Amino acid sequence: MLDFLKNLGFKVIQHYKLFREIGEVIKYCFEWKERKGEFPYETDGMVIKVSSFVEQEILGAVSRSPRWALAYKFPAPEVTTVVKDIQIYIGRTGALTPVAHLEPVEVDGSIVSRATLHNEDEIKRKDIRIGDRVVIHKAGKIIPEVIMVITEERTGNEIEFVMPITCPRCSSPVYKPEGEAVTRCTNPSCFARLEGNIRHYASRDAMDIEGLGKARIEQLIAEGFINKDVSDLYDMKIEELAELDGMGLKSATNLVKAIEDSKDRPLKRLIYALGIRHVGEHVAAILADHYTGVEELSRVPLKELQNINEIGPKVAASIGEFFSRKDNLLLINRLKSAGVKVYEEKKEKQEEKQQIWTGKQFVITGTLPTMNRNEAKAIIESKGGKVGSSVSKKTDFLIVGTEPGSKLDKAKELGITVVKGEEFEVMAKENTVPQGMLF
DNA sequence: TGGTGCTATGAGTGTCGATT
DNA sequence: AATCGACACTCATAGCACCA
């Protein structure tokens, strides 16, 4: 069998993830054919040649002898390239993230020119230097990752990376707390952070301001429209914006309208949008459930916060720190006077009624046939279920769309019930309990 | 103390709308 | 018509915080 597959051009290799059973290899061939109209051809070392004759032969063989379901793999598409530079990116929390700039190279169907190196320790661990030839691949078929350095090809001219001691954007000192991996800029009003804050505030899951992306924000800061914080957004005028490079009356009108629309978002979104450390979507929703508004939240004693389920000392402290700062309190005042809704009537606590999916934990991977993630999530929650972000023993169902990620492997490993995307959508409509398959 | 889940960050492609 | 920016998708990984 091994020779048979080898003759077909399949390769068997020994390292890395991506274990696939023969059935999966064949399935992959067919999916490829569906998408591209022909069977897989040679791509960067991954050789699969299947004629229609052979196709039948493989299928026949497998159905007669299921014990041939051995682990075979595609060769992980790995290529080498050169690290041209390592640059620092600054996020909204002030974190300095080193990113490798690579000689552009094709990996698994797309051109990769950058890869995040996460932090200083990671660079040290892998000993990555500027000028090094490195092996890269795409983790989970998407994210470029530097796997290792080819040290044999070192010439001695490689430059070791040194984390700067001042912020590359604002020149303030940076600090790295003892025991932490992340280095941060110390200046709370660093422009890079302002940029990040605005982006976060405007993002879809926060205040959802359409038309305000990275480039626009940079421009607005450079032109002085934004200089303090997110409240500056609400002072912008159509006529002034329309004067900007690349903006016309149409764009300016749309942008101002989008900003206007953001004044009426649910409280949990506003809390999330403020960008308090350790307060993401989930924690923001918990806080919005407990309190009627941002102002009330700003006055809650630490002790009380800590008593809330899922909120511990660190998160409580972080919230307390945020509201102890004058500039943040001013920000909230400014938002309020701009007309942003900072208060929400408490809804009547709904009776916890037993629903079809009550107590069930769902996780989603891949793309669903007709709905997106948020829609699927809303449906699950409306039926009493919960949606988690990673597969664990507590997961009841994994919903699998096309092009699933590593969550599927994990689910198989743990014996979690797998529900196909189509199947899920039918369940949602007919209000039934997923059956799914066990691997 | 370990398992689990959340937060923060970053990457690529294709599509669509607005500007020039 | 060409170009550019924004957005909608999706996912990995590290680092932590929380909780039992």
Side-chain angles (χ1 to χ4, degrees):
Chain A
M1 183 60 190
L2 225 150
D3 283 339
F4 172 62
L5 277 174
K6 274 186 180 167
N7 289 340
L8 287 176
F10 286 102
K11 279 192 183 172
V12 187
I13 56 167
Q14 301 297 326
H15 63 298
Y16 286 113
K17 308 152 189 176
L18 285 175
F19 267 92
R20 288 174 192 272
E21 296 182 340
I22 288 180
E24 277 194 72
V25 173
I26 295 165
K27 206 176 102 206
Y28 179 88
C29 292
F30 279 93
E31 282 172 2
W32 182 291
K33 191 186 175 195
E34 284 232 349
R35 282 201 308 265
K36 316 233 170 183
E38 57 181 353
F39 274 100
Y41 52 92
E42 186 163 342
T43 58
D44 193 37
M46 183 181 77
V47 190
I48 306 162
K49 284 184 179 135
V50 189
S51 69
S52 57
F53 166 75
V54 178
E55 169 193 322
Q56 283 171 12
E57 196 168 340
I58 302 179
L59 283 179
V62 170
S63 60
R64 278 197 305 276
S65 262
R67 67 200 161 88
W68 278 347
L70 302 167
Y72 282 82
K73 303 181 231 185
F74 292 117
E78 289 172 5
V79 300
T80 75
T81 183
V82 175
V83 178
K84 291 197 298 190
D85 197 9
I86 297 178
Q87 291 203 356
I88 302 291
Y89 287 64
I90 303 152
R92 76 182 158 88
T93 59
L96 275 65
T97 308
V99 174
H101 285 225
L102 308 165
E103 192 60 51
V105 65
E106 188 184 332
V107 193
D108 201 10
S110 62
I111 306 287
V112 169
S113 55
R114 289 186 295 190
T116 175
L117 300 174
H118 303 293
N119 56 57
E120 198 180 1
D121 295 349
E122 180 81 0
I123 297 177
K124 288 214 177 98
R125 185 158 56 235
K126 291 181 177 166
D127 189 23
I128 300 165
R129 305 177 190 177
I130 297 166
D132 268 337
R133 179 160 283 277
V134 292
V135 180
I136 65 171
H137 76 156
K138 286 201 288 185
K141 290 189 282 185
I142 305 254
I143 317 281
E145 182 189 21
V146 175
I147 302 168
M148 56 176 285
V149 174
I150 307 177
T151 45
E152 298 81 49
E153 293 201 19
R154 284 219 170 121
T155 62
N157 294 328
E158 292 76 15
I159 304 164
E160 269 186 67
F161 171 78
V162 188
M163 190 55 99
I165 52 169
T166 57
C167 170
R169 272 299 281 281
C170 71
S171 306
S172 305
V174 300
Y175 76 111
K176 183 181 168 192
E178 196 66 34
E180 280 189 28
V182 181
T183 308
R184 292 176 199 279
C185 170
T186 49
N187 175 11
S189 39
C190 175
F191 268 9
R193 295 178 67 170
L194 178 58
E195 225 174 86
N197 279 330
I198 309 273
R199 241 204 295 174
H200 174 70
Y201 186 87
S203 69
R204 198 184 149 83
D205 295 329
M207 300 301 262
D208 192 16
I209 302 175
E210 223 181 304
L212 201 55
K214 189 179 184 314
R216 281 269 174 272
I217 292 168
E218 276 172 22
Q219 187 185 24
L220 292 172
I221 291 175
E223 298 287 339
F225 282 83
I226 301 172
N227 52 52
K228 303 187 297 287
D229 54 49
V230 294
S231 70
D232 293 333
L233 291 173
Y234 297 98
D235 297 332
M236 301 194 302
K237 303 276 182 297
I238 295 177
E239 312 82 63
E240 292 164 19
L241 288 173
E243 299 292 311
L244 289 174
D245 273 356
M247 289 273 272
L249 198 60
K250 182 82 178 166
S251 310
T253 310
N254 288 348
L255 183 56
V256 169
K257 176 165 188 308
I259 291 171
E260 194 63 26
D261 289 345
S262 75
K263 289 181 179 173
D264 195 35
R265 299 282 180 246
L267 181 60
K268 63 176 182 183
R269 280 170 169 259
L270 177 63
I271 295 174
Y272 171 60
L274 290 175
I276 305 169
R277 277 251 272 158
H278 303 306
V279 178
E281 269 188 285
H282 182 75
V283 175
I286 294 172
L287 292 172
D289 260 357
H290 278 79
Y291 302 105
T292 53
V294 177
E295 289 172 309
E296 186 189 356
L297 179 61
S298 73
R299 289 191 290 264
V300 178
L302 286 193
K303 259 208 150 134
E304 189 184 320
L305 284 173
Q306 282 188 49
N307 284 335
I308 300 173
N309 194 19
E310 291 186 73
I311 293 179
K314 297 268 185 160
V315 175
S318 170
I319 297 168
E321 203 267 335
F322 182 89
F323 287 113
S324 73
R325 284 186 23 209
K326 252 203 191 112
D327 48 345
N328 288 330
L329 295 176
L330 280 173
L331 164 67
I332 289 161
N333 273 332
R334 280 197 292 264
L335 288 176
K336 196 178 159 193
S337 44
V340 178
K341 198 179 73 182
V342 297
Y343 172 88
E344 197 168 77
E345 285 297 326
K346 267 284 144 286
K347 320 129 240 178
E348 284 295 301
K349 264 246 158 164
Q350 282 186 358
E351 276 292 301
E352 281 276 325
K353 58 177 182 228
Q354 197 68 18
Q355 293 187 87
I356 182 95
W357 293 346
T358 297
K360 297 296 179 199
Q361 165 93 15
F362 292 75
V363 174
I364 307 170
T365 183
T367 314
L368 301 177
T370 65
M371 57 179 91
N372 68 31
R373 288 273 169 120
N374 282 334
E375 287 166 350
K377 197 174 162 198
I379 288 175
I380 291 167
E381 283 168 355
S382 74
K383 293 180 190 296
K386 278 190 166 181
V387 182
S389 55
S390 55
V391 175
S392 70
K393 279 184 289 188
K394 288 186 186 164
T395 307
D396 294 292
F397 304 106
L398 179 72
I399 300 165
V400 181
T402 53
E403 310 217 9
S406 60
K407 288 175 198 162
L408 179 57
D409 297 334
K410 182 93 183 275
K412 284 181 185 174
E413 204 179 288
L414 296 174
I416 308 292
T417 308
V418 172
V419 182
K420 277 192 187 164
E422 303 83 43
E423 204 182 332
F424 167 76
E425 294 189 353
V426 174
M427 308 284 160
K429 234 179 260 162
E430 298 177 354
N431 218 20
T432 51
V433 180
Q435 298 298 316
M437 312 172 267
L438 272 174
F439 283 94

